[in-house]
Amino acid sequence: MLKTTAPAFGEPYRGKVREVYELDEETLGIVVTDRISAFDHIMKQAIPYKGQILNNLAAFSFDKVDDLVNTHIIDVPHPNVTIAKKCDPVPVEVVIRACLTGHAWRVYKSGKRELCGVKLPDGMVENEHFEEPILTPATKAKEGHDEDISEKEILDRGIVDEKIWAEIREKAFKVFERGRKVASEQGLILVDTKYEFGLYNGEVTLIDEVHTADSSRYFYSDGYEERLAKGEKQKQLSKEFLREWLMDHDFQGLEGQTLPDLPDEFRWEVFDRYAELFKELTGKQFEPTSTENFVKELPLIFEAYTL
Ligand SMILES: Nc1ncnc2c1ncn2[C@@H]1O[C@H](COP(=O)(O)OP(=O)(O)OP(=O)(O)O)[C@@H](O)[C@H]1O
Ligand SMILES: [Mg+2]
């Protein structure tokens, strides 16, 4: 398990996946750990090398969109570490969906024809593409589950300034289009994704991670139409694999349910899925880097970026 202490740099903010150190007033040192979460719970066992895969996937994808949007990336000096601009996070998860999948499908199946203020046409089937991608934001709750919210409510409640929101939604759709293009060139469909934005010196900036296995769903393009027509499951490259395993083990994050242990064999299967997405999307084989000396290396890495 990746140990991430760097006492000289204070206590990090420990998110579900990332440990965020403040290197100075403008700079964050973000360590992407091997932790994995699902249904808002951190699993008791980590996934080997997941942090490296995720951090490198994010770096790859940030690079693909940085002509469209300001990104928080300053540098990626180690497979587990990103040095980033410290932004004021905008407290909204900016979710864009190309397909009727996951949460959107569950809402649709229950008979509703509106999601986050977006009207949904009748007669759609699971995993079908919308005519155009839709924006279905969620509030970034300090604790507990994120909740769906409409764009109108975001503005009415003053959660985000109108001008800033207009820029965020425009950027989000553009970045999503690019993500779809990058994916489709590799034979993948970008199904849906979640963006986080922040303000850096007042400028809208894409933060956290982008188009990774944790923040996005991908399908294989090959056979998508046939599977859709037959009502079969799609071939997924995402965390859905873990969610399904958990549901098979009676866990959906509901009260009274016990978080199951992830057996070693299954942890390596999850690793395989992450490595597969890395290979499919970047065209490169994932090569693990040893983290044996990470505790010693981390302060040295950070030092290079402090004022
Ligand atoms: N450039 C940035 N500036 C400020 N905050 C950032 C930046 N990049 C990421 N973050 C924040 O750092 C945290 C990353 O940790 P992680 O992804 O593990 O958190 P999480 O558990 O998903 O979310 P949270 O901790 O907010 O519930 C998130 O809260 C994210 O919003
Ligand atoms: Mg996160």
Side-chain angles (χ1 to χ4, degrees), residues 39 41 145 250-259:
F39 302 119
H41 288 258
H145 291 276
D250 298 319
F251 186 80
Q252 272 189 80
L254 304 175
E255 220 159 83
Q257 296 181 328
T258 334
L259 192 61

Side-chain angles (χ1 to χ4, degrees), residues 16-18 93 140 194 196 208-209:
K16 288 191 283 292
V17 172
R18 276 157 268 268
E93 310 230 321
K140 207 168 166 358
K194 177 216 70 175
E196 291 184 30
D208 204 45
E209 60 181 328

Side-chain angles (χ1 to χ4, degrees), residues 36 38 41-47 241-242 244-252 257-270:
I36 190 163
H41 288 258
I42 304 172
M43 301 299 115
K44 287 182 272 181
Q45 290 81 20
I47 304 303
F241 180 65
L242 171 64
E244 279 170 13
W245 186 91
L246 289 170
M247 286 193 272
D248 287 346
H249 290 77
D250 298 319
F251 186 80
Q252 272 189 80
Q257 296 181 328
T258 334
L259 192 61
D261 284 303
L262 308 182
D264 284 355
E265 201 186 76
F266 179 69
R267 291 167 56 227
W268 283 104
E269 275 178 47
V270 178

Side-chain angles (χ1 to χ4, degrees), residues 13-18 20 28 30 72 84-89 140-142 194 196 207-209:
Y13 167 77
R14 293 182 205 275
K16 288 191 283 292
V17 172
R18 276 157 268 268
V20 183
L28 298 179
I30 303 177
H72 78 157
K85 299 171 195 161
K86 179 177 178 240
C87 300
D88 274 336
K140 207 168 166 358
K142 281 264 178 303
K194 177 216 70 175
E196 291 184 30
I207 67 171
D208 204 45
E209 60 181 328

Side-chain angles (χ1 to χ4, degrees), residues 73-141:
I73 297 283
I74 294 173
D75 204 359
V76 183
H78 179 280
N80 287 95
V81 182
T82 286
I83 308 295
K85 299 171 195 161
K86 179 177 178 240
C87 300
D88 274 336
V90 172
V92 172
E93 310 230 321
V94 181
V95 179
I96 307 240
R97 303 171 184 276
C99 303
L100 183 61
T101 304
H103 171 64
W105 167 244
R106 287 190 284 275
V107 169
Y108 193 89
K109 201 168 63 168
S110 78
K112 296 205 182 88
R113 289 295 176 267
E114 193 180 304
L115 181 62
C116 304
V118 180
K119 294 261 184 309
L120 305 173
D122 277 323
M124 286 186 73
V125 295
E126 186 175 12
N127 299 331
E128 189 177 343
H129 277 81
F130 298 112
E131 208 155 286
E132 295 283 334
I134 61 170
L135 173 53
T136 60
T139 52
K140 207 168 166 358

